Amino acid sequence: MARNIQSLERAAAMLRLLAGGERRLGLSDIASSLGLAKGTAHGILRTLQHEGFVEQDDASGRYQLGAELLRLGTTYLDVHELRARALVWTDDLARSSGESVYLGVLHQQGVLIVHHVFRPDDSRQVLEIGAMQPLHSTALGKVLSAYDPVAHSEALDGDRTAFTDRTVCDPDAFEQVLDLTRARGYAADVEETWEGVASVAAPIHDRRRMPVGAVGVTGAVERLSRDGELRPELIAAVRDCARSVSRDLGARRF
């Protein structure tokens, strides 16, 4: 059986102590409560403080939970709620479109797939939850870049790799793509990331009208296109799905 890492166990115990006790605790209180030497406790607190998980009051010298821990917890809750609200609508979209459906959020300068509904046929498919997609070339990434200022900055500042001859890498041309995305309310990727593959995605907003994710369908170009253009009924279905999830998250006028 693998052994636990003692320093991590102590750090976790320290965070639980700060979360469950008084608002602020001094070094002596923390050390005695956990049965640690002051030097050991101080070293762990200093590391947690450096990472933003713990903050120290300048006046009293006491410690409390930091903003970074709150941010991580809120991110988890937001993604959890997003997935929960999207389950029914993404299943419906997969059935109506006959294609794979992906739900993505901004994460570490890319798109993190947090939900994936298989194409409703008997073909062999691989679950892609946890996979990362680029911001600049995928439909999900373009949607996030168009509506989320942080994603926009990361897409422009990052390395826009040319995956195919169709990938838009020039910054001015990419800005035009984002303008078009906002004007149409959806983004498209036709063989810009993978040869023979197309996708359509639309933004999801929360009750604050903030972009919290994107939903889209992905499949073979010949299935998603008709006469060289993406099927309008497919675009409408994706946008309807995004609006339905947004409404369930409390957004209005979507």
Side-chain angles (χ1 to χ4, degrees), residues 190-209:
V190 181
E191 297 188 287
E192 294 179 48
T193 311
W194 302 282
E195 296 283 356
V197 176
S199 59
V200 180
I204 296 172
H205 295 81
D206 66 6
R207 62 184 61 85
R208 301 163 297 173
R209 296 182 62 83

Side-chain angles (χ1 to χ4, degrees), residues 64-192:
Q64 65 182 23
L65 294 179
E68 179 65 12
L69 196 64
L70 176 62
R71 186 189 69 80
L72 289 177
T74 302
T75 299
Y76 169 77
L77 291 174
D78 286 347
V79 171
H80 181 74
E81 182 181 8
L82 175 61
R83 289 186 66 240
R85 299 291 185 180
L87 288 176
V88 172
W89 301 112
T90 50
D91 282 349
D92 287 346
L93 179 59
R95 281 193 296 270
S96 65
S97 67
E99 301 294 344
S100 298
V101 177
Y102 294 88
L103 185 69
V105 299
L106 177 66
H107 180 69
Q108 294 182 350
Q109 300 180 327
V111 183
L112 174 66
I113 303 302
V114 297
H115 186 53
H116 174 199
V117 183
F118 282 165
R119 185 171 65 254
D121 58 21
D122 296 328
S123 62
R124 183 177 179 180
Q125 300 173 63
V126 177
L127 189 65
E128 296 187 44
I129 293 176
M132 294 291 293
Q133 293 186 3
L135 284 171
H136 70 287
S137 63
T138 61
L140 292 172
K142 292 177 190 177
V143 164
L144 293 174
S145 299
Y147 289 91
D148 186 333
V150 176
H152 178 265
S153 297
E154 292 185 349
L156 286 176
D157 294 341
D159 181 20
R160 291 180 299 280
T161 303
F163 298 108
T164 73
D165 292 341
R166 294 173 176 261
T167 309
V168 177
C169 299
D170 177 77
D172 292 335
F174 183 66
E175 286 284 15
Q176 292 178 6
V177 169
L178 299 186
D179 288 341
L180 181 61
T181 297
R182 286 185 286 267
R184 299 190 303 190
Y186 72 91
D189 164 14
V190 181
E191 297 188 287
E192 294 179 48

